[in-house]
Structures are given as C-alpha cells and as structure tokens.
Amino acid sequence: MEQPEVQVLADKLDQLLERYGKLELENQALKTRQEDWTRERAQLVHKNDLAKTKLEAMIGRLRALEQH
C-alpha cells in the first residue's frame, strides 16, 4: 500500500472514532432524557390516580347526600 493510501485510511479511521465519540455522548444524553421523562410520567400517573381517587370520593359523598 502506498503511503498516501495509508494516510487516507488513517484519516478515515480518525473521523470514524470522532463520530463514534459524538454518537456515544448523544446516546447518553438521550438515555438521560428518557429516564427523566419516565420519572416525570410516573409522577403524573401518580398525581392522576390521586385526583381520580379524590374525585370518586367526592362523588360518593354527593350521592350519599342526595339519598338523605
């Protein structure tokens, strides 16, 4: 292999390694965002369940008042 061909391959390898590093950082950032959204979703589901329980209790009390 001629020297210029080796240099071209070395340059391509450097580019690939740089791209790999950037993709690795981007992937980690995406995983972190996904974990944040998963936690936020769980909190919202919990709040929704609490609101549903309170609403059902209020409806039950209103129905009980209607019957008296």
Side-chain angles (χ1 to χ4, degrees):
M1 216 181 277
E2 295 180 18
Q3 187 63 23
E5 290 177 29
V6 171
Q7 187 59 48
V8 168
L9 288 175
D11 291 344
K12 286 184 179 183
L13 180 58
D14 288 342
Q15 290 173 352
L16 284 172
L17 290 172
E18 183 179 335
R19 183 67 180 146
Y20 172 78
K22 287 178 182 179
L23 288 172
E24 197 170 32
L25 289 173
E26 181 182 355
N27 188 42
Q28 186 57 48
L30 289 171
K31 284 181 180 180
T32 299
R33 285 175 55 193
Q34 181 181 15
E35 290 168 359
D36 291 345
W37 287 339
T38 300
R39 271 192 299 279
E40 182 180 356
R41 182 184 182 282
Q43 290 171 349
L44 291 172
V45 167
H46 179 68
K47 286 180 180 181
N48 189 46
D49 288 342
L50 288 175
K52 182 180 176 182
T53 300
K54 288 179 181 181
L55 184 58
E56 288 171 346
M58 281 191 268
I59 291 171
R61 287 193 300 270
L62 287 172
R63 287 187 178 149
L65 286 174
E66 275 182 351
Q67 294 175 0
H68 286 105

